[in-house]
Amino acid sequence: MARTSLTPISVVGPYASDLASITWTAADPTNKNQFVLTGRELILIRNNDASTHNVTLSSVNDPYGRTGDITKSIPAGAYRAFWAGAVLGWIQSDGKFYLEADDANVEFAILKIPG
C-alpha cells in the first residue's frame, strides 16, 4: 500500500502579522506516513491518547553507508519535535521523508520554515 502523505504547512515570514495555523493529521499506522523533504521542515508530534505510543523516523544510508532510524516513545499527552534540516540520511529515493506511529491517536504537523 502507498504511504499516506502529509502536507507541510508553510510558516509565515518574519514580518507577518498573523501566525500560521497548525493543522494536525492523525498517523496512519497501517500505511505509514510521508512528506516531501526539502530540508526546511520541522516535524511536530503529539500523542492524544491516555497511553504511551511509539514513533519511528526512517533513515536511509548516508554517503558513508550509515543508517540511524529514530524510534521514540511518546508518553500520553506529550509532544515531540524533530528538525529535518539535513536531508542526507533521511531523504528516500522518492524525495520523501518516511515516518510512522503505532496508533492513530498520534498526530503529526509538518511545518515548512521559509528559507
Side-chain angles (χ1 to χ4, degrees):
M1 293 216 147
R3 287 178 179 262
T4 301
S5 292
L6 301 169
T7 303
I9 302 160
S10 293
V11 176
V12 294
Y15 304 109
S17 61
D18 294 327
L19 297 175
S21 176
I22 296 177
T23 302
W24 294 92
T25 303
D28 182 342
T30 302
N31 299 312
K32 305 176 185 177
N33 294 94
Q34 65 183 8
F35 63 88
V36 174
L37 181 62
T38 67
R40 302 293 308 157
E41 288 79 21
L42 177 65
I43 302 166
L44 301 179
I45 307 164
R46 74 175 173 185
N47 180 358
N48 276 330
D49 203 6
S51 301
T52 297
H53 291 292
N54 296 312
V55 171
T56 299
L57 309 176
S58 300
S59 68
V60 296
N61 286 340
D62 70 8
Y64 307 101
R66 298 177 294 208
T67 59
D69 291 357
I70 295 174
T71 299
K72 294 289 181 187
S73 292
I74 303 178
Y79 291 79
R80 295 288 182 267
F82 178 79
W83 169 243
V87 297
L88 286 178
W90 295 106
I91 195 164
Q92 305 291 323
S93 61
D94 60 2
K96 297 182 179 160
F97 187 102
Y98 292 173
L99 64 166
E100 62 187 89
D102 63 6
D103 192 275
N105 283 306
V106 173
E107 295 179 325
F108 299 118
I110 312 302
L111 302 184
K112 186 169 185 176
I113 310 302

